[in-house]
Amino acid sequence: TLTLALALTLTLTPPAARLLCSHGARTEFPFEDQHDSQWKSMLTLAAEMDDVQSLSYCLHLGAPVHWAPHWSGKTAFFCAAAAGSSKCVDAMLRMAPEYKMVERINDRDAQGRTPLHHAVESNCAATVDLLLRNGADPSICDHKGYNAVFTAAMSGSGSRVLAMLAKHPSLSPSPVVTSLPRETRDENGRTLLHWACMKGNAKDARMAVTHFGCDLQALDGDGMNAFHCAVVANRLETVCALYDDADLGLGAGINARD
């Protein structure tokens, strides 16, 4: 079992795995004893490393596609999305219909997060695009109430990823009242706009206001608005961009107090 796992997940050479199998290496699945110390299966490790050939061979051996540790709920597909393994994500979405990969694209892990949440957090635009084109819903919220857009802002994902999410039908037209309510906040009372400013993403901040309808004067738990947060986070370029953007009008609050 160990030698087969090493062939598939360390050397990543399916021919070597076939040779081991021909000499009696175990291939039985499910494989409670065939995972590493982090409970990552051979299929999961191949998916994380974006090795389509090894992924395909694991499936050929009968690896269960939807197996996941009970405490995380993350299948190989979740892990591929989290690692930004766009080739493996694409390959799994193209699998035979009986695997129901597209139908289960909005499955959730133990934290209520979908594969899209994980892809957004990894800031992999190619993976995000694949998921969206195959039916991923960015309006789904995890157990904390955060959808993919809020996750993108908190993780500092690029404007390209946020722009992809903004085009989804469930997140338009502006302002988003049902999918991203203005009162959506983290545990510290911060909105999407607060996070965009703290991460120094002026384009995201503008989108938070113009597309997602965020309140310019919303205060977090410390009594700070988004402009305060940009200053405190030492995001000088963002501060200047926000101040100079007449459409946002954040410069009008330059003397606001926390």
Side-chain angles (χ1 to χ4, degrees):
T1 300
L2 179 60
T3 52
L4 178 58
L6 286 173
L8 285 171
T9 62
L10 296 182
T11 63
L12 293 175
T13 53
R18 294 190 187 94
L19 180 63
L20 288 169
C21 289
S22 69
H23 285 79
R26 285 182 55 199
T27 62
E28 296 89 355
F29 294 95
F31 41 84
E32 287 79 8
D33 60 340
Q34 298 189 38
H35 53 73
D36 65 10
S37 60
Q38 295 180 317
W39 280 79
K40 291 182 179 180
S41 68
M42 293 184 287
L43 183 66
T44 296
L45 289 167
E48 285 186 335
M49 298 182 76
D50 209 14
D51 190 289
V52 176
Q53 193 177 20
S54 294
L55 179 89
S56 299
Y57 194 62
C58 283
L59 294 172
H60 171 72
L61 294 178
V65 179
H66 300 296
W67 179 86
H70 66 87
W71 48 268
S72 72
K74 295 176 183 176
T75 65
F77 189 70
F78 277 85
C79 293
S85 301
S86 58
K87 289 187 292 185
C88 279
V89 167
D90 185 41
M92 296 181 82
L93 288 172
R94 294 173 183 271
M95 286 167 57
E98 56 264 28
Y99 288 106
K100 297 183 178 180
M101 295 303 299
V102 175
E103 289 86 343
R104 298 184 59 169
I105 201 168
N106 290 311
D107 278 4
R108 306 190 190 201
D109 62 17
Q111 295 178 310
R113 308 177 86 198
T114 66
L116 184 60
H117 280 91
H118 292 282
V120 163
E121 196 168 53
S122 70
N123 194 23
C124 181
T127 303
V128 171
D129 181 55
L130 276 170
L131 294 172
L132 290 174
R133 285 193 286 107
N134 282 277
D137 186 353
S139 69
I140 294 176
C141 295
D142 62 17
H143 292 336
K144 289 185 177 181
Y146 306 152
N147 65 13
V149 175
F150 208 89
T151 300
M154 289 193 298
S155 59
S157 297
S159 297
R160 184 182 176 191
V161 167
L162 195 59
M164 286 180 179
L165 299 173
K167 293 177 182 178
H168 194 272
S170 69
L171 298 179
S172 60
S174 174
V176 181
V177 176
T178 57
S179 300
L180 186 68
R182 294 179 179 181
E183 63 269 17
T184 299
R185 297 170 182 262
D186 66 10
E187 59 271 20
N188 295 312
R190 293 169 181 148
T191 67
L192 171 64
L193 181 59
H194 283 91
W195 274 104
C197 289
M198 286 192 298
K199 293 295 182 178
N201 294 328
K203 291 182 179 179
D204 291 1
R206 194 177 203 287
M207 197 179 300
V209 176
T210 60
H211 186 86
F212 295 112
C214 289
D215 185 355
L216 291 166
Q217 302 306 323
L219 303 179
D220 65 12
D222 295 320
M224 298 195 298
N225 63 22
F227 199 81
H228 284 122
C229 289
V231 173
V232 171
N234 199 28
R235 303 294 186 179
L236 180 59
E237 292 183 2
T238 303
V239 169
C240 294
L242 295 175
Y243 183 78
D244 293 336
D245 195 325
D247 292 334
L248 292 183
L250 276 176
I254 194 169
N255 291 314
R257 302 187 181 191
D258 60 11

